[in-house]
């Protein structure tokens, strides 16, 4: 099962109808977050700015993994018992190996998942960064360097 966690309801319809998610949770809604506590095997965290990790750590099962994919330029802060009690792992990667990438693409194909990207040319890169700062991206930029 794939659960999308987002800060608002804005992306709910897209996530459920177009991206293949099974569930959608608004991270600022304590009731929704508590409903899925201790239920996730792993979370792929793509948030590229500093944010509290405890709310997400509490969603993981024992031995769950929080995988950081967003580049955060400030020190991570969390209460260590949140990790220790459930033998949880915080990890991250800029990119996986070829084997891991093939496994991920196979998983997406098997589950019928897709992604939404916006391809931009190099001459648009400064505008793209401005839009990133305004949270005006649906969902990721891909830079065409050709």
């Amino acid at each position: 099962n794939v659960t999308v966690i987002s800060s608002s309801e804005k992306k709910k319809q897209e996530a459920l109808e177009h991206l293949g998610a099974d569930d959608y949770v608004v991270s600022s809604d304590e009731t929704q977050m508590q409903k899925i506590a201790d239920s996730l095997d792993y979370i792929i965290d793509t948030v590229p700015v500093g944010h509290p990790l405890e709310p997400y750590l509490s969603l993981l099962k024992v031995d769950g993994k929080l995988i950081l994919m967003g580049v955060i330029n400030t020190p991570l802060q969390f209460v260590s018992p949140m990790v220790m009690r459930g033998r949880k792992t915080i990890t991250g990667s800029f990119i996986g190996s070829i084997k891991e990438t093939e496994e991920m693409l196979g998983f997406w194909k098997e589950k019928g998942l897709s992604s939404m990207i916006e391809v931009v040319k190099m001459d648009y890169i400064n505008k793209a960064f401005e839009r990133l700062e305004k949270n005006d991206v649906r969902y990721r930029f891909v830079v065409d360097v050709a």
Side-chain angles (χ1 to χ4, degrees), residues 32-120:
Q32 289 184 36
M33 292 287 279
Q34 285 191 339
K35 184 178 174 184
I36 65 166
D38 303 313
S39 70
L40 304 177
D41 294 306
Y42 61 89
I43 297 172
I44 299 172
D45 184 335
T46 63
V47 178
V49 296
H51 58 285
L53 299 182
E54 284 92 348
Y56 304 100
L57 290 168
S58 70
L59 303 179
L60 295 169
K61 293 178 180 177
V62 171
D63 294 323
K65 291 183 180 182
L66 177 61
I67 305 162
L68 302 175
M69 299 300 290
V71 177
I72 302 171
N73 291 322
T74 57
L76 297 178
Q77 294 186 350
F78 56 91
V79 180
S80 62
M82 291 283 298
V83 175
M84 297 160 68
R85 274 196 327 251
R87 298 190 313 255
K88 297 171 184 176
T89 303
I90 300 173
T91 186
S93 175
F94 280 117
I95 186 166
S97 67
I98 291 174
K99 182 179 184 278
E100 289 171 324
T101 301
E102 288 171 346
E103 288 174 1
M104 183 270 306
L105 291 172
F107 174 82
W108 278 56
K109 181 178 179 182
E110 175 189 325
K111 301 297 181 186
L113 301 174
S114 64
S115 63
M116 298 176 98
I117 61 169
E118 184 176 340
V119 178
V120 298

Side-chain angles (χ1 to χ4, degrees), residues 126-144:
N126 289 334
K127 182 71 173 169
F129 276 113
E130 290 172 14
R131 288 184 52 204
L132 275 172
E133 289 175 353
K134 295 176 186 172
N135 198 22
D136 179 32
V137 183
R138 281 297 243 269
Y139 286 89
R140 292 285 178 259
F141 282 130
V142 173
V143 181
D144 181 355

Side-chain angles (χ1 to χ4, degrees), residues 2-13:
V2 175
T3 300
V4 171
I5 303 169
S6 190
S7 60
S8 73
E9 294 275 345
K10 279 192 320 192
K11 301 174 187 173
K12 183 174 184 173
Q13 184 175 353

